[in-house]
Amino acid sequence: MSRFSVANPGDTSADIVGQAELIVQRMKISDKIDFNNDWKVITIFIGGNDLCRVCRNKNYLPENYISKVKDAIDYIHANVPRVFINLLEPVNVTMLYNFKFTGLMCGIAHIVACNCAANPWTKAAAQRMVERVEGYVHEVNALVDSGRYEKDDFTVVVQPFFRYTLPPHTNNEVDMSYFAPDCFHFSLKGQTDAALALWNNMVEPVGKKRLNWYEGEKLECPTKSRPYLYTKKNSVASFYENDDFSAKNLAENRLLAKSAGSNDQKKAVTSSGGGVLLMVALASVAVLALVILGSVLYKRHQNKVNCSSRQRLLPNPDRSGDVRYNGNFQH
């Protein structure tokens, strides 16, 4: 199904309507989908890059962010029948300064990609970032809770597993195996665990979903009595049922919320500390440029020597791997 992915690194909510238009176009022309009769699962995960710019651009305030998300969902609603949308809460980018990402490259990457979150100049700026993240989460849930999208052939469900998720770490040092070399995006390992957590959220009732994911989380399956993905409507009965799994989720969520409140971003950030980090990063740009230049020259040399080998490594357009979605969905 990779041909239907329209996500691009660096995109913000300003790009999401264009993404929605593109994915609708791709679905309509695909011979792998019965456009009018198949249920489609669409996952929207956007907001991290917005948060990384919000300290210097008011266009990324929570109310502007959610307006664009709403426009994209409205477009899908108007143009695609039978859709289940996963709307993920944005990742909490304040983790970039709460945890130690080791290495000079991480420091440079965070300044370039998300300086608002990684290096707030004052305690007040750090607190504003916390409030912006909370504002995004609030707006996402308020949009869905409005009931705007609760239809017989269309629904949007918030999947909140990122809310209290923190990167695995030891002695306050992040396990970098979960991150790409830019120390910002997930590695294959991180993507795998996030996908597992997303699926588990999808088979948990609204109101009883776990709010974090962790290393070694097991795959959950729909039950025989409820063999479907949960929506707000079909979660009503299960919300009042007492089962050990949901009770465990609710208990853990309460502890996570309490912990988040009592440790609400206590790290002290001073303007002098931010200035030192910025100076170190700027001093390292020349070194980074030399590394990149050397890498480019080396790649050009390799291209000339191994041209025929590279051709054999190009993707085969006949192996798309697309599979028609026929998920069991009950609204």
Side-chain angles (χ1 to χ4, degrees), residues 1 4 18 37 51 53 108 110 167 174 176 193 195 202 223 233 274 327 331:
M1 300 295 285
F4 297 115
N37 296 306
L51 286 166
R53 304 176 187 186
I108 295 173
H110 288 169
V174 174
M176 294 307 299
D193 279 8
M202 291 167 67
T223 64
K233 285 185 177 181
H331 191 67

Side-chain angles (χ1 to χ4, degrees), residues 131-316:
E131 293 169 357
R132 297 305 187 218
V133 172
E134 293 174 346
Y136 273 45
V137 171
H138 170 77
E139 293 292 348
V140 163
N141 284 276
L143 175 63
V144 174
D145 289 343
S146 69
R148 181 184 184 90
Y149 303 114
E150 286 301 318
K151 313 295 181 183
D152 290 336
D153 67 343
F154 189 95
T155 193
V156 181
V157 180
V158 175
Q159 309 298 0
F161 67 90
F162 270 124
R163 188 179 303 178
Y164 297 129
T165 291
L166 298 173
H169 60 281
T170 303
N171 297 326
N172 208 34
E173 290 192 3
V174 174
D175 181 350
M176 294 307 299
S177 66
Y178 283 87
F179 290 87
D182 65 3
C183 311
F184 186 72
H185 295 93
F186 289 132
S187 64
L188 177 61
K189 181 179 179 180
Q191 294 278 8
T192 300
D193 279 8
L196 174 62
L198 170 59
W199 169 258
N200 285 345
N201 258 183
M202 291 167 67
V203 297
E204 294 167 344
V206 174
K208 292 185 176 181
K209 296 179 182 291
R210 68 191 76 185
L211 303 179
N212 70 323
W213 61 269
Y214 51 87
E215 186 176 8
E217 184 173 327
K218 70 175 184 177
L219 179 71
E220 305 294 345
C221 297
T223 64
K224 291 183 178 180
S225 60
R226 299 183 182 278
Y228 45 78
L229 306 182
Y230 276 99
T231 70
K232 187 173 183 179
K233 285 185 177 181
N234 65 28
S235 293
V236 173
S238 63
F239 186 81
Y240 297 100
E241 294 177 355
N242 293 319
D243 60 271
D244 293 339
F245 179 74
S246 294
K248 180 175 179 291
N249 275 2
L250 292 174
E252 288 182 351
N253 290 345
R254 283 193 291 269
L255 288 175
L256 287 167
K258 182 178 180 180
S259 176
S262 62
N263 297 289
D264 198 5
Q265 322 305 348
K266 291 182 179 178
K267 181 177 179 181
V269 182
T270 65
S271 59
S272 60
V276 170
L277 180 58
L278 182 60
M279 290 173 63
V280 170
L282 291 175
S284 305
V285 169
V287 176
L288 179 61
L290 289 175
V291 171
I292 294 173
L293 178 60
S295 177
V296 169
L297 292 175
Y298 175 76
K299 287 183 178 180
R300 287 182 177 178
H301 172 71
Q302 288 294 96
N303 286 345
K304 292 178 180 180
V305 175
N306 299 315
C307 183
S308 59
S309 298
R310 290 182 71 249
Q311 288 297 324
R312 290 195 298 270
L313 294 176
L314 291 175
N316 185 345

